[in-house]
Amino acid sequence: MYDYGLSTLEQYSLTVLSTARTRGALLCRCEEGLFILKEFKGTEKKLKKQQELLEGLSAAGCRVDRYLSNKEGNLVSRDRDNIPYTLQFWYEGRECDTRSEEDILRSVRTLAQMHKYMKLPLVQDYMEPSLEDIYQRHNQELRKIRKFIRKKGASCQFEKLYLATVEDYLEKGDMALGLLRDSAYSKLRQDVTENGWICHGEYNQHNVLMIRKETAVTSFEHWGFDVQMADLYRFMRKILEKYNWDVRLGMKMLSAYHKEKSISEDEWQNIHIRFLYPEKYWKLANYYYSHNKAWISEKNTQKLKKLTGQKEAWQNFGAKCLENYPF
């Protein structure tokens, strides 16, 4: 019978009181505290650097899901079936509620506080790709998908809507790429290499836990060396899509971050450019192209309709919220 890594707990100096299955993991209540046991799918080399990052954050007073070493001093333990697992400190809390402005702003402040300490000597292997390369590749992919649909003929609602909207979004993509090339982005990248600034990589409401008046952050597996505005942009975009690009809320989020960790003029310009790029449009198009085209998900079609319906609000957001520095 599959033990979900239970047998690995014998390798730790813990007194286990109870265990319970949770989303993709095993929650372990011990005399020593609360821990979470997860199957490990990364590389141990990167895991050691991640632990170094988490220990630094913990020492600075941040609540994060750092790893617990087993009795042999290893971060990875293998069960009876030789499946690797990790054990991490965990917290009793609830996920950030995206319907709560208080939770949203608290999450932004927490990100800014963490960013001050998220740095390590650069390891080139974990440097994130250039945003210029990403935008260029995405624009090429949008054109490739347009050519593909035109050649075969648009036969479903998603394909028809894509052909009706792609020119405008491509124009926005090309504009954002041009602005990025003319911006101080290369200077920001150089600052990352010199100072070792790190991004969480997947900072969203699911990875922010509210614990009374404190906040914990989890799931750093996608960390990498990058311009930290990437984290702020990703969190803000996901929230603002739910709020139809509410300028008032956007300004509050930027202000909350800025008060904790000052946003430089170059960083401000960078996050503005990120908001000008039609990333969600590309994601929907890429999902369509990389999946079975004999059956197009109605959910994906509805997402594209919603996105195009928000286009004016999205465009206005950048102009009203980020045109002038600072605020």
Side-chain angles (χ1 to χ4, degrees):
M1 184 177 175
Y2 189 54
D3 69 1
Y4 300 103
L6 265 172
S7 59
T8 63
L9 294 176
E10 300 165 0
Q11 300 173 44
Y12 295 88
S13 301
L14 295 172
T15 304
V16 181
L17 303 175
S18 66
T19 61
R21 286 184 64 187
T22 184
R23 190 169 54 196
L26 197 69
L27 196 65
C28 308
R29 296 186 184 278
C30 309
E31 284 188 359
E32 296 78 4
L34 191 64
F35 299 87
I36 195 160
L37 185 72
K38 294 180 183 177
E39 186 175 339
F40 178 62
K41 296 178 181 177
T43 67
E44 292 192 45
K45 182 182 175 184
K46 189 175 184 184
L47 181 66
K48 287 177 182 177
K49 296 305 292 185
Q50 184 179 332
Q51 177 73 339
E52 188 179 339
L53 170 67
L54 295 173
E55 286 177 341
L57 286 170
S58 183
C62 302
R63 286 178 170 252
V64 291
D65 58 345
R66 67 192 191 281
Y67 294 86
L68 188 69
S69 298
N70 61 24
K71 293 174 184 176
E72 296 181 355
N74 299 320
L75 297 176
V76 177
S77 303
R78 294 183 177 273
D79 72 357
R80 292 163 186 162
D81 298 314
N82 204 36
I83 297 171
Y85 285 87
T86 56
L87 192 66
Q88 293 169 270
F89 289 86
W90 205 246
Y91 304 91
E92 292 276 16
R94 58 173 178 80
E95 291 185 358
C96 165
D97 184 354
T98 58
R99 296 166 298 180
S100 164
E101 187 173 297
E102 183 183 344
D103 276 15
I104 291 167
L105 297 180
R106 187 167 148 189
S107 299
V108 170
R109 286 193 294 270
T110 298
L111 178 64
Q113 290 161 1
M114 279 200 326
H115 273 171
K116 297 175 189 176
Y117 307 104
M118 288 182 67
K119 56 191 293 189
L120 288 173
L122 181 72
V123 180
Q124 194 63 48
D125 287 350
Y126 310 135
M127 184 77 178
E128 291 298 311
S130 163
L131 190 60
E132 184 178 332
D133 293 341
I134 290 170
Y135 283 177
Q136 186 170 339
R137 186 175 71 252
H138 287 181
N139 289 349
Q140 289 170 347
E141 287 164 354
L142 288 174
R143 288 185 170 88
K144 182 179 179 180
I145 295 166
R146 177 184 63 184
K147 183 179 179 182
F148 170 80
I149 296 174
R150 281 177 175 172
K151 187 175 180 180
K152 81 174 197 66
S155 57
C156 67
Q157 205 171 5
F158 182 94
E159 292 169 343
K160 290 173 183 176
L161 185 54
Y162 182 83
L163 288 185
T165 56
V166 65
E167 302 303 331
D168 193 35
Y169 282 101
L170 255 176
E171 183 183 330
K172 300 292 185 296
D174 288 335
M175 180 187 71
L177 177 58
L179 289 170
L180 186 69
R181 285 171 172 163
D182 293 338
S183 74
Y185 178 61
S186 60
K187 181 180 166 186
L188 290 173
R189 289 270 292 181
Q190 184 62 31
D191 185 44
V192 171
T193 61
E194 290 175 0
N195 293 293
W197 295 113
I198 289 173
C199 277
H200 179 282
E202 202 172 59
Y203 193 81
N204 58 47
Q205 68 270 23
H206 305 300
N207 298 328
V208 182
L209 298 179
M210 303 297 171
I211 314 158
R212 299 183 184 88
K213 292 184 178 181
E214 296 187 297
T215 312
V217 180
T218 68
S219 306
F220 284 77
E221 291 84 1
H222 296 276
W223 73 272
F225 295 94
D226 201 359
V227 177
Q228 290 181 329
M229 289 299 99
D231 269 345
L232 180 58
Y233 160 73
R234 275 188 289 259
F235 183 79
M236 287 184 66
R237 180 179 66 80
K238 286 180 178 292
I239 296 296
L240 290 165
E241 283 172 357
K242 298 177 186 294
Y243 283 82
N244 195 32
W245 296 96
D246 185 334
V247 173
R248 180 198 60 84
L249 178 59
M251 292 292 284
K252 279 193 169 186
M253 293 168 79
L254 288 165
S255 179
Y257 185 98
H258 188 63
K259 284 176 182 176
E260 295 292 338
K261 185 176 186 289
S262 179
I263 302 173
S264 71
E265 195 164 354
D266 289 342
E267 288 175 323
W268 188 274
Q269 181 189 34
N270 184 256
I271 199 169
H272 187 191
I273 292 169
R274 290 176 189 269
F275 275 113
L276 291 174
Y277 191 83
E279 183 178 352
K280 186 66 178 287
Y281 187 85
W282 168 81
K283 282 189 173 184
L284 292 173
N286 184 62
Y287 182 89
Y288 153 81
Y289 192 69
S290 58
H291 287 72
N292 181 10
K293 299 168 198 61
W295 179 81
I296 308 300
S297 164
E298 179 60 29
K299 188 177 180 181
N300 216 38
T301 303
Q302 292 303 319
K303 283 182 179 180
L304 185 58
K305 282 182 179 179
K306 182 181 177 182
L307 181 72
T308 54
Q310 287 185 330
K311 188 173 76 170
E312 187 176 346
W314 164 62
Q315 290 174 321
N316 288 339
F317 176 81
K320 292 180 180 178
C321 194
L322 287 151
E323 196 68 40
N324 300 309
Y325 174 80
F327 310 105

